[in-house]
Amino acid sequence: METSDHIKIEAGDHITMELDDQIVHRHMVRLFSNFNELRHRGQLFDFKICVGNKKLNAHKVVLAASSDYFKAMFAHNSIELDAGKVFLQNIDANAVEAVINYIYTCKIDLNNENIEEILLAASILQVQVIQDLCVDFIEKRIDASNCLGVALLSERCSLLELNCKALNYCYENFNQVVLEKEFLTLDDSMLARIISQDKLNVYDETQVFQAVITWVKADEEQRKSKLDKLMRHVRFATIEPVTFVNLTTVDLIKASPECRDLIDKAKNYLLLKDYPELQKQHLGKLVTRPRDVLRRIYAVGGWTDEFTAISSAEVYDPKLDIWTEIPPMTQKRCGVGLTTLRHSIYAVGGHDGQNHVNTVERFDVNNYKWYKDVADMQYGRSNVGVVTLDGFIYAIGGKIGLVSLDSVERYDPINNVWEECAPMTVKRVGHGVAVYKGCIYVIGGCESEGHTLNTVEKYDPKENKWVHVAPMGIARKHLGSCTCQGLIYAIGGRNDSASQLDSGEVYDPTKDKWTAIPSMHKKRSGIGLVELSGLVYVIGGQNQDTRLSEVEAYDPVAKSWTWKRPMNDSRLGGGVTVHPMQST
């Protein structure tokens, strides 16, 4: 038999044809389209799903192929199989209908209003593909206002990975979470579980104390009986003794003999720190170990001594005073902005040795890997100021070629887009950036070659507006800046004559005033500046023509500088940030 000019099949022969993916896809689309058409016409269906006031027609073979719940039901001589229908209880009818529609059409509308019910329905009916879609939708939207709800929902649905991510977000951002309405709806067992965590990211244990007080006061009559149990998880032995006076003046503590006893034991424990044997007598129910939250400094990119942009990256462990190499970026970058958002470090813009780039990549600290899944900026920028505020990443100023920029754009991680914000009042390159109480401060830099700035302006994202605040005492470009304990630091850099600076100054936003601080050990520009554990770290940069790996830290209390372990690589114009980030 001859079938065409190209294929000949003799009698008794057979042929196996492998179809390409496009043909298979068209076949499957047509198959399920026909199934769906039959369902809507009420033809050939052999099963009914009864939920709420809805009765949904379906085909057993389609349900079994898509849902492990129905597959198990139909594989045995179940009552539902014999009856040809199933009654579903305690599940949202619209969510079930959405799941069944997806099974037939591969289309589903997920939004903030229906996501919880659809995830519950998909979990009960064991439709893994919808569960995965829901989890992906939720993961991208976890924030301080919903992480507790996500944790509880994922627990109900036995989604361990999502549960861990939601709880870890809560632990890392506890100070923001306690300000949300959702926190006040927790039951006492969930609250106890959270505040007992070693990795709870709190700057001071009094923040945990205050969180418990706030939770109890939200429904004092019903919750005051839970106070004693919850306060056992507050690590009073790690609180400064001078603070105890304020704690004991709280009315709820005054009324609780057990809480007062905990605080007294903590005071005695701290007073007897030089007498370990006596200390043990005052332990009782005290938890004496500090929280085990380790914030680390990340440093990436920059110029080397060979005037070559680099992609290397490293991380600093303050407990061990050691820098460790991590995987390099996918692209060489100097003059790069670096910031922290959730569980990732974002490297923004920079210069790759040939061009000013608009690309962005992120390092996932959990997966220990760089990802190129971040949208490009609207403009290429090097020597750009980058900060994170309220879940957005801001890229501010910088330069393209010889042109300084005043433009500002911010990254929305949920929608993976950059959007323009109001421009600065002045073009700036090599400027410092810092965040304080919901506003961004842009400090110094240069407007053009030979014109170094001492001006400072503040951006309020709620008003999308820039206003000038008090100028620095010294004009600086290629400086470092950061926020530490409510003050903004501006250190090092160059002045108008291109001379490098070892001086620094600090801005008090409450007084709108700059004050000089002691000078660094070494003059340097093109530095990175971050806060870690109450110290201000100056990282890398350049001294005269030498690129630096050296690190020194300023202690605002002692008003003195100390040397720290140098980096593995010299970095001029490298990016630095701290993870996890603390609220400022």
Side-chain angles (χ1 to χ4, degrees), residues 366-446:
N366 296 325
N367 297 333
Y368 214 63
K369 182 179 178 181
W370 288 94
Y371 292 89
K372 298 176 68 176
D373 56 1
V374 185
D376 293 343
M377 291 185 291
Q378 298 178 18
Y379 304 97
R381 301 172 187 268
S382 66
N383 299 99
V384 56
V386 175
V387 293
T388 298
L389 177 60
D390 294 335
F392 296 95
I393 294 174
Y394 289 79
I396 303 166
K399 68 176 181 179
I400 303 176
L402 299 177
V403 179
S404 300
L405 303 172
D406 59 5
S407 63
V408 179
E409 49 188 309
R410 74 175 187 179
Y411 175 67
D412 176 351
I414 292 178
N415 297 308
N416 194 30
V417 295
W418 289 87
E419 53 195 16
E420 288 195 51
C421 302
M424 295 180 289
T425 62
V426 178
K427 295 179 179 180
R428 297 178 190 263
V429 61
H431 47 292
V433 288
V435 171
Y436 177 74
K437 285 196 172 180
C439 290
I440 298 171
Y441 290 75
V442 176
I443 304 151
C446 59

Coordinates of all heavy atoms in Angstrom, one line a residue, residues 366-446:
N366 N 19.0 32.0 50.6 CA 18.5 30.7 51.0 C 19.0 29.6 50.0 O 19.5 28.6 50.4 CB 17.0 30.6 51.2 CG 16.5 31.5 52.3 OD1 17.1 31.7 53.3 ND2 15.3 32.0 52.0
N367 N 18.9 29.9 48.7 CA 19.3 29.0 47.7 C 20.8 29.2 47.3 O 21.3 28.4 46.5 CB 18.5 29.1 46.5 CG 17.0 28.8 46.7 OD1 16.7 28.0 47.6 ND2 16.1 29.4 46.0
Y368 N 21.4 30.3 47.8 CA 22.9 30.5 47.6 C 23.2 30.6 46.1 O 24.1 30.0 45.6 CB 23.7 29.4 48.2 CG 25.0 29.8 48.7 CD1 25.1 30.7 49.8 CD2 26.2 29.3 48.2 CE1 26.3 31.1 50.3 CE2 27.4 29.7 48.7 CZ 27.5 30.6 49.7 OH 28.7 31.0 50.2
K369 N 22.3 31.4 45.4 CA 22.4 31.4 43.9 C 22.0 32.7 43.4 O 21.1 33.4 43.9 CB 21.6 30.3 43.3 CG 21.6 30.1 41.8 CD 20.7 28.9 41.4 CE 20.7 28.8 39.9 NZ 19.8 27.7 39.4
W370 N 22.6 33.2 42.3 CA 22.2 34.4 41.6 C 21.1 34.1 40.6 O 21.2 33.1 39.9 CB 23.4 35.1 40.9 CG 24.3 35.7 41.9 CD1 25.5 35.2 42.4 CD2 24.3 37.0 42.4 NE1 26.1 36.0 43.2 CE2 25.4 37.2 43.3 CE3 23.4 38.1 42.3 CZ2 25.6 38.4 44.0 CZ3 23.6 39.3 43.0 CH2 24.7 39.4 43.8
Y371 N 20.1 35.0 40.5 CA 19.0 34.8 39.5 C 18.9 36.1 38.7 O 19.0 37.2 39.1 CB 17.7 34.6 40.2 CG 17.6 33.3 41.0 CD1 18.0 33.1 42.3 CD2 17.1 32.1 40.3 CE1 17.9 31.9 43.0 CE2 17.0 30.9 41.0 CZ 17.4 30.8 42.3 OH 17.4 29.6 43.0
K372 N 18.6 35.9 37.4 CA 18.4 37.0 36.4 C 16.9 37.1 36.1 O 16.6 37.3 34.9 CB 19.3 36.8 35.2 CG 20.8 36.7 35.5 CD 21.5 36.4 34.2 CE 21.5 37.5 33.2 NZ 22.3 37.3 32.0
D373 N 16.1 37.0 37.1 CA 14.6 37.1 36.8 C 14.0 38.4 37.2 O 12.8 38.6 37.4 CB 13.9 36.0 37.6 CG 14.2 36.0 39.1 OD1 15.0 36.9 39.6 OD2 13.7 35.1 39.8
V374 N 14.9 39.5 37.3 CA 14.4 40.8 37.7 C 14.4 41.7 36.5 O 15.3 41.7 35.6 CB 15.3 41.4 38.8 CG1 14.8 42.8 39.2 CG2 15.5 40.5 40.0
A375 N 13.3 42.4 36.3 CA 13.1 43.3 35.1 C 14.3 44.3 35.1 O 14.8 44.8 36.1 CB 11.8 44.0 35.2
D376 N 14.7 44.7 33.9 CA 15.7 45.8 33.7 C 15.1 47.1 34.1 O 13.9 47.4 33.9 CB 16.1 45.8 32.2 CG 16.8 44.6 31.7 OD1 17.3 43.8 32.6 OD2 16.9 44.4 30.5
M377 N 16.0 48.0 34.5 CA 15.6 49.4 34.8 C 15.3 50.1 33.5 O 15.7 49.6 32.4 CB 16.7 50.1 35.5 CG 17.0 49.7 36.9 SD 18.2 50.8 37.7 CE 19.7 50.3 36.8
Q378 N 14.6 51.2 33.6 CA 14.3 52.0 32.4 C 15.6 52.7 31.8 O 15.7 53.0 30.6 CB 13.3 53.0 32.7 CG 11.9 52.4 33.1 CD 10.9 53.5 33.5 OE1 11.0 54.6 33.1 NE2 9.9 53.1 34.2
Y379 N 16.6 52.9 32.7 CA 17.8 53.6 32.3 C 19.0 52.8 32.8 O 19.0 52.3 33.9 CB 17.9 55.0 32.8 CG 16.7 55.9 32.5 CD1 15.6 56.1 33.4 CD2 16.6 56.6 31.3 CE1 14.5 56.8 33.1 CE2 15.5 57.4 30.9 CZ 14.5 57.5 31.9 OH 13.4 58.3 31.5
G380 N 20.1 52.9 32.0 CA 21.4 52.4 32.5 C 21.9 53.4 33.5 O 21.8 54.6 33.3
R381 N 22.5 52.9 34.6 CA 22.9 53.8 35.7 C 24.2 53.2 36.3 O 24.2 52.0 36.7 CB 21.9 54.0 36.8 CG 20.6 54.5 36.3 CD 19.6 54.5 37.5 NE 18.2 54.9 37.1 CZ 17.8 56.1 37.2 NH1 18.5 57.1 37.7 NH2 16.5 56.4 36.8
S382 N 25.2 54.0 36.5 CA 26.3 53.6 37.4 C 26.5 54.7 38.4 O 26.0 55.8 38.2 CB 27.6 53.4 36.6 OG 28.1 54.6 36.0
N383 N 27.3 54.3 39.5 CA 27.4 55.3 40.6 C 26.0 55.7 41.1 O 25.7 56.8 41.4 CB 28.2 56.5 40.3 CG 29.6 56.1 39.9 OD1 29.9 56.0 38.7 ND2 30.5 55.8 40.9
V384 N 25.1 54.7 41.1 CA 23.7 54.9 41.4 C 23.4 54.7 42.9 O 24.1 53.8 43.6 CB 22.8 54.0 40.6 CG1 23.2 52.5 40.8 CG2 21.3 54.2 40.9
G385 N 22.5 55.5 43.5 CA 22.1 55.2 44.9 C 20.9 54.3 44.9 O 19.9 54.5 44.2
V386 N 21.0 53.2 45.7 CA 20.0 52.2 45.8 C 19.6 51.9 47.2 O 20.5 51.7 48.1 CB 20.4 50.9 45.1 CG1 19.4 49.8 45.2 CG2 20.7 51.2 43.6
V387 N 18.3 52.0 47.5 CA 17.8 51.6 48.8 C 16.5 50.8 48.7 O 15.8 50.9 47.7 CB 17.5 52.9 49.7 CG1 18.8 53.6 50.1 CG2 16.5 53.8 49.0
T388 N 16.1 50.2 49.8 CA 14.8 49.5 49.9 C 14.0 50.2 50.9 O 14.4 50.6 52.0 CB 15.0 48.1 50.4 OG1 15.8 47.3 49.4 CG2 13.7 47.4 50.5
L389 N 12.7 50.5 50.5 CA 11.8 51.1 51.4 C 10.3 50.6 51.2 O 9.9 50.6 50.0 CB 11.8 52.7 51.2 CG 10.8 53.5 52.1 CD1 11.1 53.3 53.6 CD2 10.9 55.0 51.7
D390 N 9.7 50.1 52.2 CA 8.3 49.7 52.1 C 8.1 48.6 51.0 O 7.1 48.7 50.3 CB 7.4 50.8 51.9 CG 7.3 51.8 53.1 OD1 7.7 51.3 54.2 OD2 7.0 53.0 52.9
G391 N 9.0 47.7 50.9 CA 8.9 46.6 49.9 C 9.2 47.0 48.5 O 9.1 46.2 47.6
F392 N 9.7 48.2 48.2 CA 10.1 48.7 46.9 C 11.6 48.9 46.9 O 12.2 49.3 47.9 CB 9.4 49.9 46.5 CG 7.9 49.8 46.3 CD1 7.1 50.1 47.3 CD2 7.4 49.3 45.1 CE1 5.7 50.0 47.1 CE2 6.0 49.2 44.9 CZ 5.2 49.5 45.9
I393 N 12.3 48.8 45.8 CA 13.7 49.1 45.6 C 13.8 50.4 44.8 O 13.2 50.5 43.7 CB 14.5 48.0 44.9 CG1 14.5 46.8 45.8 CG2 15.9 48.5 44.5 CD1 15.2 45.6 45.1
Y394 N 14.5 51.4 45.3 CA 14.6 52.7 44.6 C 16.0 52.8 44.0 O 17.0 52.5 44.7 CB 14.4 53.8 45.5 CG 13.0 54.0 46.0 CD1 12.4 53.2 47.0 CD2 12.1 54.9 45.4 CE1 11.1 53.3 47.4 CE2 10.8 55.1 45.8 CZ 10.3 54.3 46.8 OH 9.0 54.4 47.2
A395 N 16.1 53.2 42.7 CA 17.3 53.5 42.0 C 17.4 55.0 41.7 O 16.5 55.5 41.0 CB 17.5 52.7 40.7
I396 N 18.3 55.7 42.3 CA 18.3 57.1 42.4 C 19.6 57.7 41.7 O 20.7 57.4 42.1 CB 18.2 57.6 43.8 CG1 17.0 57.0 44.5 CG2 18.2 59.1 43.9 CD1 16.9 57.1 46.0
G397 N 19.3 58.6 40.7 CA 20.4 59.3 40.1 C 21.4 58.4 39.4 O 21.1 57.4 38.8
G398 N 22.7 58.8 39.5 CA 23.8 58.1 38.8 C 24.2 58.8 37.5 O 23.9 60.0 37.3
K399 N 24.8 58.0 36.6 CA 25.2 58.6 35.4 C 25.1 57.6 34.2 O 25.2 56.4 34.4 CB 26.6 59.2 35.5 CG 27.7 58.2 35.6 CD 29.1 58.9 35.6 CE 30.2 57.9 35.8 NZ 31.5 58.5 35.7
I400 N 24.9 58.2 33.0 CA 25.1 57.4 31.8 C 26.1 58.2 31.0 O 25.9 59.3 30.6 CB 23.8 57.4 31.0 CG1 22.7 56.8 31.8 CG2 24.0 56.6 29.7 CD1 21.3 56.7 31.1
G401 N 27.3 57.5 30.7 CA 28.4 58.2 30.0 C 28.9 59.4 30.9 O 29.2 59.2 32.1
L402 N 28.8 60.6 30.3 CA 29.2 61.8 31.1 C 28.1 62.6 31.6 O 28.2 63.6 32.2 CB 30.1 62.7 30.2 CG 31.4 62.1 29.7 CD1 32.1 63.0 28.8 CD2 32.3 61.7 30.8
V403 N 26.9 62.0 31.5 CA 25.6 62.7 31.8 C 25.2 62.3 33.2 O 24.9 61.1 33.5 CB 24.5 62.5 30.8 CG1 23.2 63.2 31.2 CG2 25.0 62.9 29.4
S404 N 25.1 63.2 34.2 CA 24.5 63.0 35.5 C 23.0 62.9 35.4 O 22.4 63.6 34.6 CB 25.0 64.0 36.5 OG 26.4 64.1 36.6
L405 N 22.4 62.2 36.3 CA 21.0 62.0 36.2 C 20.3 62.5 37.5 O 20.8 62.4 38.6 CB 20.6 60.5 36.1 CG 21.2 59.7 34.9 CD1 21.0 58.2 35.0 CD2 20.6 60.3 33.6
D406 N 19.1 63.0 37.3 CA 18.2 63.4 38.5 C 17.0 62.4 38.6 O 16.2 62.5 39.5 CB 17.7 64.8 38.4 CG 16.9 65.1 37.1 OD1 16.7 64.2 36.3 OD2 16.6 66.3 36.9
S407 N 16.9 61.5 37.6 CA 15.7 60.6 37.5 C 15.8 59.6 38.6 O 16.8 59.2 39.1 CB 15.6 60.0 36.2 OG 16.8 59.1 36.0
V408 N 14.6 59.1 39.0 CA 14.4 58.1 40.0 C 13.4 57.1 39.6 O 12.4 57.5 39.0 CB 13.9 58.8 41.4 CG1 13.7 57.7 42.4 CG2 14.8 59.9 41.8
E409 N 13.7 55.8 39.8 CA 12.7 54.8 39.5 C 12.7 53.8 40.6 O 13.7 53.6 41.3 CB 13.0 54.1 38.1 CG 14.4 53.7 37.9 CD 14.6 53.2 36.5 OE1 13.9 52.3 36.0 OE2 15.6 53.6 35.8
R410 N 11.6 53.1 40.7 CA 11.5 52.1 41.8 C 10.9 50.8 41.3 O 10.2 50.8 40.3 CB 10.6 52.6 43.0 CG 9.1 52.6 42.7 CD 8.3 53.0 44.0 NE 6.9 52.8 43.8 CZ 6.0 53.1 44.7 NH1 6.4 53.5 45.9 NH2 4.7 52.9 44.5
Y411 N 11.4 49.7 41.9 CA 11.1 48.4 41.5 C 10.0 47.8 42.3 O 10.0 47.8 43.6 CB 12.3 47.5 41.6 CG 12.1 46.0 41.2 CD1 11.7 45.6 40.0 CD2 12.2 45.1 42.2 CE1 11.5 44.3 39.7 CE2 12.0 43.7 41.9 CZ 11.6 43.4 40.6 OH 11.4 42.0 40.4
D412 N 8.9 47.3 41.7 CA 7.8 46.6 42.3 C 8.0 45.1 42.1 O 7.9 44.6 41.0 CB 6.5 47.1 41.6 CG 5.3 46.3 42.2 OD1 5.5 45.4 42.9 OD2 4.2 46.7 41.8
P413 N 8.4 44.4 43.2 CA 8.8 43.0 43.0 C 7.6 42.1 42.8 O 7.7 41.0 42.2 CB 9.4 42.6 44.4 CG 8.8 43.6 45.4 CD 8.6 44.9 44.6
I414 N 6.4 42.5 43.1 CA 5.2 41.7 42.9 C 4.9 41.7 41.4 O 4.6 40.6 40.8 CB 4.0 42.2 43.7 CG1 4.2 42.0 45.2 CG2 2.7 41.5 43.3 CD1 3.1 42.6 46.1
N415 N 4.9 42.8 40.7 CA 4.6 42.9 39.3 C 5.9 42.8 38.4 O 5.8 42.9 37.2 CB 3.8 44.1 39.0 CG 2.5 44.1 39.7 OD1 1.7 43.2 39.6 ND2 2.2 45.2 40.5
N416 N 7.0 42.8 39.1 CA 8.3 42.8 38.4 C 8.4 43.9 37.3 O 8.7 43.6 36.1 CB 8.5 41.4 37.7 CG 9.9 41.2 37.2 OD1 10.9 41.7 37.8 ND2 10.1 40.4 36.1
V417 N 8.2 45.1 37.8 CA 8.3 46.3 36.9 C 9.0 47.4 37.6 O 8.9 47.5 38.8 CB 6.9 46.7 36.4 CG1 6.3 45.7 35.5 CG2 6.0 47.1 37.5
W418 N 9.6 48.3 36.8 CA 10.2 49.5 37.3 C 9.3 50.7 36.9 O 8.8 50.7 35.8 CB 11.6 49.8 36.8 CG 12.6 48.9 37.3 CD1 13.0 47.6 36.9 CD2 13.5 49.1 38.4 NE1 14.0 47.1 37.6 CE2 14.3 48.0 38.6 CE3 13.6 50.2 39.3 CZ2 15.3 47.9 39.6 CZ3 14.6 50.1 40.3 CH2 15.4 49.0 40.5
E419 N 9.0 51.6 37.8 CA 8.2 52.7 37.5 C 8.8 54.0 37.9 O 9.6 54.0 38.9 CB 6.8 52.6 38.2 CG 6.9 52.3 39.7 CD 5.6 51.8 40.4 OE1 4.8 51.3 39.6 OE2 5.5 51.9 41.6
E420 N 8.6 55.1 37.2 CA 9.3 56.4 37.5 C 8.6 57.0 38.7 O 7.4 56.9 38.9 CB 9.1 57.3 36.2 CG 10.0 56.8 35.1 CD 10.2 57.9 34.1 OE1 10.5 59.1 34.4 OE2 10.0 57.7 32.9
C421 N 9.5 57.7 39.4 CA 9.1 58.5 40.6 C 9.5 60.0 40.3 O 10.1 60.3 39.3 CB 9.8 58.1 41.9 SG 9.4 56.4 42.3
A422 N 9.1 60.9 41.1 CA 9.5 62.3 41.0 C 11.0 62.4 40.9 O 11.7 61.8 41.8 CB 8.9 63.1 42.1
P423 N 11.6 63.2 40.0 CA 13.0 63.3 40.0 C 13.5 64.2 41.1 O 12.8 65.0 41.7 CB 13.3 64.0 38.6 CG 12.0 64.8 38.4 CD 10.9 63.9 39.0
M424 N 14.8 64.0 41.5 CA 15.4 64.9 42.5 C 15.4 66.3 42.0 O 15.2 66.6 40.8 CB 16.9 64.4 42.7 CG 17.0 63.1 43.4 SD 18.7 62.6 43.7 CE 19.3 62.3 42.0
T425 N 15.7 67.3 42.9 CA 15.8 68.7 42.5 C 17.1 69.0 41.8 O 17.2 70.0 41.1 CB 15.6 69.6 43.7 OG1 16.7 69.4 44.6 CG2 14.3 69.3 44.4
V426 N 18.1 68.1 42.0 CA 19.4 68.3 41.5 C 19.9 67.0 40.9 O 19.7 65.9 41.4 CB 20.4 68.7 42.6 CG1 21.8 68.9 42.0 CG2 19.9 70.0 43.3
K427 N 20.7 67.1 39.8 CA 21.3 65.9 39.2 C 22.5 65.5 40.1 O 23.2 66.3 40.6 CB 21.9 66.2 37.8 CG 20.8 66.4 36.8 CD 21.3 66.8 35.4 CE 20.2 67.0 34.4 NZ 20.8 67.3 33.1
R428 N 22.6 64.1 40.4 CA 23.6 63.7 41.3 C 24.2 62.4 40.8 O 23.5 61.4 40.4 CB 23.0 63.4 42.7 CG 22.5 64.7 43.4 CD 21.9 64.4 44.7 NE 21.1 65.5 45.3 CZ 21.6 66.3 46.2 NH1 22.9 66.2 46.6 NH2 20.9 67.3 46.6
V429 N 25.5 62.3 41.0 CA 26.3 61.0 40.8 C 27.3 60.9 41.9 O 27.8 61.9 42.4 CB 27.0 61.0 39.4 CG1 28.0 62.1 39.3 CG2 27.6 59.7 39.1
G430 N 27.5 59.7 42.4 CA 28.5 59.5 43.5 C 27.9 60.0 44.8 O 28.7 60.4 45.6
H431 N 26.6 59.9 44.9 CA 26.0 60.5 46.1 C 25.7 59.3 47.1 O 25.8 58.2 46.8 CB 24.6 61.1 45.8 CG 23.8 60.3 44.9 ND1 24.2 60.0 43.5 CD2 22.6 59.6 45.1 CE1 23.3 59.2 43.0 NE2 22.3 58.9 43.9
G432 N 25.4 59.7 48.4 CA 25.0 58.7 49.4 C 23.5 58.7 49.5 O 22.8 59.6 49.2
V433 N 23.0 57.5 50.0 CA 21.6 57.4 50.2 C 21.3 56.7 51.5 O 22.1 55.8 51.9 CB 20.9 56.5 49.1 CG1 20.8 57.3 47.8 CG2 21.6 55.2 48.8
A434 N 20.3 57.0 52.2 CA 19.9 56.4 53.5 C 18.4 56.5 53.7 O 17.7 57.3 53.1 CB 20.7 57.1 54.6
V435 N 17.9 55.6 54.5 CA 16.5 55.6 54.8 C 16.2 55.9 56.3 O 17.0 55.4 57.2 CB 15.9 54.2 54.5 CG1 14.4 54.1 55.0 CG2 15.9 54.0 53.0
Y436 N 15.2 56.7 56.6 CA 14.9 57.0 58.0 C 13.4 57.3 58.1 O 12.9 58.2 57.4 CB 15.7 58.1 58.6 CG 15.3 58.5 60.0 CD1 15.7 57.7 61.1 CD2 14.6 59.7 60.3 CE1 15.3 58.0 62.4 CE2 14.2 60.0 61.6 CZ 14.6 59.2 62.6 OH 14.2 59.5 63.9
K437 N 12.7 56.5 58.9 CA 11.3 56.7 59.2 C 10.4 57.0 57.9 O 9.7 58.0 57.8 CB 11.1 57.9 60.2 CG 11.4 57.4 61.6 CD 10.9 58.4 62.6 CE 11.1 57.8 64.0 NZ 10.6 58.7 65.1
G438 N 10.5 56.1 56.9 CA 9.7 56.1 55.8 C 10.1 57.1 54.7 O 9.4 57.3 53.7
C439 N 11.3 57.7 54.9 CA 11.7 58.7 53.9 C 13.1 58.3 53.4 O 13.9 57.7 54.1 CB 11.7 60.1 54.4 SG 10.1 60.8 54.7
I440 N 13.5 58.7 52.2 CA 14.8 58.5 51.6 C 15.6 59.8 51.6 O 15.1 60.9 51.2 CB 14.7 58.0 50.2 CG1 14.0 56.6 50.1 CG2 16.1 57.8 49.5 CD1 13.6 56.2 48.7
Y441 N 16.8 59.7 52.1 CA 17.7 60.9 52.1 C 18.8 60.7 51.1 O 19.5 59.6 51.1 CB 18.3 61.1 53.5 CG 17.3 61.6 54.6 CD1 16.4 60.7 55.1 CD2 17.3 62.9 55.0 CE1 15.5 61.1 56.0 CE2 16.4 63.3 56.0 CZ 15.4 62.4 56.5 OH 14.5 62.8 57.4
V442 N 19.0 61.7 50.2 CA 20.1 61.7 49.2 C 21.1 62.8 49.6 O 20.7 63.9 49.8 CB 19.5 61.9 47.8 CG1 20.7 61.9 46.8 CG2 18.6 60.7 47.5
I443 N 22.4 62.4 49.6 CA 23.4 63.2 50.3 C 24.5 63.4 49.4 O 25.2 62.5 48.9 CB 23.9 62.5 51.6 CG1 22.7 62.1 52.5 CG2 24.9 63.3 52.3 CD1 22.9 60.9 53.4
G444 N 24.9 64.7 49.1 CA 26.1 65.1 48.4 C 26.1 64.6 47.0 O 25.1 64.5 46.3
G445 N 27.3 64.1 46.5 CA 27.5 63.7 45.2 C 28.0 64.9 44.3 O 28.4 65.9 44.9
C446 N 28.0 64.7 43.0 CA 28.4 65.8 42.2 C 27.4 66.0 41.1 O 26.8 65.0 40.5 CB 29.8 65.7 41.6 SG 30.0 64.2 40.6

